[in-house]
Amino acid sequence: ANSDKPQFTRYPLQAGAATCKRHVVVWMDGAQRDVALYSRADLSAGQHLSGPAIVAQDDSTTVILPGYVCRIDEYANLRISRGESL
């Protein structure tokens, strides 16, 4: 049987830095840190953010450690890389 490839929504890229919702104090990397908290629903394709940060959504939490960056791709995936500069 031949099946069709799934179709995924491609979102227009809106380049720029994501805006954090607020800052929170968390325990990360063996120390208390003041980190940016982002709402997953507020992030748009093309935006980026730097760690340390937390992205919260209804069904999961994503932690971006210091030294990492997160870019939201055209399919609204969080793409996390180490050592990239923004």
Side-chain angles (χ1 to χ4, degrees):
N2 189 9
S3 59
D4 293 332
K5 289 174 102 178
Q7 297 295 314
F8 297 101
T9 302
R10 283 183 84 161
Y11 298 94
L13 298 177
Q14 300 175 24
T19 303
C20 76
K21 190 171 194 152
R22 62 187 169 104
H23 281 79
V24 294
V25 176
V26 299
W27 188 262
M28 182 185 292
D29 261 352
Q32 278 193 331
R33 295 182 183 268
D34 181 33
V35 303
L37 174 67
Y38 296 84
S39 170
R40 181 71 175 91
D42 293 341
L43 300 177
S44 298
Q47 291 184 323
H48 58 81
L49 57 106
S50 297
I54 295 173
V55 177
Q57 63 188 66
D58 290 341
D59 58 353
S60 67
T61 301
T62 304
V63 176
I64 297 107
L65 295 173
Y68 287 77
V69 296
C70 176
R71 297 180 191 281
I72 296 81
D73 72 12
E74 66 270 23
Y75 298 103
N77 296 304
L78 301 179
R79 307 285 299 229
I80 301 169
S81 303
R82 185 175 184 171
E84 280 188 35
S85 60
L86 292 176

